[in-house]
């Protein structure tokens, strides 16, 4: 199935993954309509808020291993389609589009290096590529920051999709282990911030390997 989809991508004319217009994988109209996230935001988790706050309804009372989380766009149905095409069909140019959106929206982080959330090994092989790593490498080029593979998976975390929020938080707990020594300041890159549980578990592993400040950067963020 995976090979068939890839083959079709080679044969069929290029179409916008959101509206279907011919010509580009993301047409100019859909590109400029991406729902950018803008302040006021929760200083900690990056959720849009009515006014600037240090903690919001979504993150208050949670122990968070990261100092801040920021995303370029809201994970609305159009962005969901884009992320799905990027992840499941392996459309490489979409990683560059996502990186452009991030670099246009967010300032370069004041850190020594970028790290990325490693793919679940089985699913990574199935897809043949790693969206978070590719996004990190694209951002590293734009921000002139080195990208290090600082994290590994400790076990086959079961799929997050379809789990409740509480189950998601339990599911990823302990799913990451340090794979190298982290610089003191590091930015952790992932494609989508959903419940924050993946970012939190990965940031916690980075803290164990020497990071004192972890900033989370994602292309999209679920807005509740
Ligand atoms: Zn379009
Ligand atoms: Zn918050």
């Amino acid at each position: 199935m995976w090979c068939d989809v890839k083959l079709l991508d080679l044969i069929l004319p290029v179409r916008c993954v959101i509206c279907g217009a011919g010509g580009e994988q993301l047409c100019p109209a859909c590109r400029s309509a991406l729902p950018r996230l803008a302040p006021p935001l929760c200083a900690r988790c990056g959720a849009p808020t009515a006014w600037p706050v240090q903690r919001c309804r979504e993150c208050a009372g949670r122990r968070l291993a990261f100092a801040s989380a920021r995303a370029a766009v809201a994970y609305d149905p159009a962005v969901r389609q884009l992320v799905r095409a990027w992840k499941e069909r392996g459309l490489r140019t979409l990683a560059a589009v996502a990186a452009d959106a991030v670099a246009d929206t967010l300032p370069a982080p004041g850190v020594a290096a970028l790290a990325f959330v490693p793919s679940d090994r089985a699913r990574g092989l199935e897809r043949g590529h790693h969206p978070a790593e590719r996004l990190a490498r694209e951002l590293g080029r734009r921000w002139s920051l080195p990208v290090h593979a600082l994290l590994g998976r400790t076990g086959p975390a079961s799929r997050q999709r379809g789990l409740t929020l509480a189950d998601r938080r339990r599911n990823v707990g302990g799913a990451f282990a340090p794979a190298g020594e982290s610089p003191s300041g590091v930015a952790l890159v992932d494609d989508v911030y959903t419940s924050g549980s993946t970012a939190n578990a990965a940031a916690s592993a980075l803290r164990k390997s020497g990071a004192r400040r972890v900033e989370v950067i994602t292309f999209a963020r679920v807005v509740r």
Side-chain angles (χ1 to χ4, degrees):
M1 183 58 194
W2 159 242
C3 286
D4 291 348
V5 170
K6 250 172 125 175
L7 198 60
L8 282 176
D9 283 334
L10 293 176
I11 298 166
L12 294 174
V14 176
R15 294 196 171 282
C16 173
V17 295
I18 294 177
C19 73
E24 291 179 62
Q25 286 177 353
L26 186 65
C27 76
C30 289
R31 195 180 296 227
S32 60
L34 288 175
R36 305 290 180 119
L37 288 169
L41 303 169
C42 169
R44 193 66 180 269
C45 78
T49 46
W51 51 84
V53 292
Q54 292 304 307
R55 285 282 197 145
C56 69
R57 221 170 22 154
E58 194 178 316
C59 72
R62 283 179 72 187
R63 287 174 59 116
L64 296 175
F66 53 82
S68 67
R70 291 294 181 274
V73 304
Y75 194 57
D76 73 357
V79 171
R80 186 188 313 258
Q81 265 178 272
L82 179 125
V83 170
R84 189 174 298 163
W86 171 23
K87 292 173 75 160
E88 292 179 3
R89 288 162 65 196
L91 299 182
R92 287 177 176 227
T93 54
L94 294 180
V97 166
D100 284 341
V102 172
D104 285 350
T105 312
L106 306 177
V111 296
L114 301 181
F116 51 88
V117 172
S119 283
D120 183 317
R121 203 185 311 158
R123 285 160 59 202
L125 282 178
E126 175 193 318
R127 290 193 200 118
H129 74 129
H130 305 275
E133 176 175 0
R134 184 152 292 151
L135 178 59
R137 300 211 177 274
E138 294 280 350
L139 286 171
R141 269 198 288 281
R142 284 160 181 73
W143 287 334
S144 302
L145 284 170
V147 180
H148 299 314
L150 295 176
L151 294 170
R153 290 266 181 186
T154 53
S158 49
R159 297 195 78 135
Q160 292 282 80
R161 195 182 295 170
L163 295 181
T164 66
L165 210 56
D167 284 340
R168 277 170 182 250
R169 286 178 189 159
R170 266 194 297 277
N171 186 34
V172 294
F176 302 102
E181 199 176 318
S182 173
S184 169
V186 65
L188 173 71
V189 176
D190 202 2
D191 42 26
V192 182
Y193 181 105
T194 306
S195 64
S197 54
T198 299
N200 203 36
S204 161
L206 288 172
R207 297 274 296 265
K208 284 184 197 133
S209 65
R212 296 186 61 189
R213 179 182 171 82
V214 180
E215 299 183 19
V216 175
I217 293 173
T218 60
F219 166 59
R221 186 197 200 285
V222 169
V223 174
R224 292 185 175 80

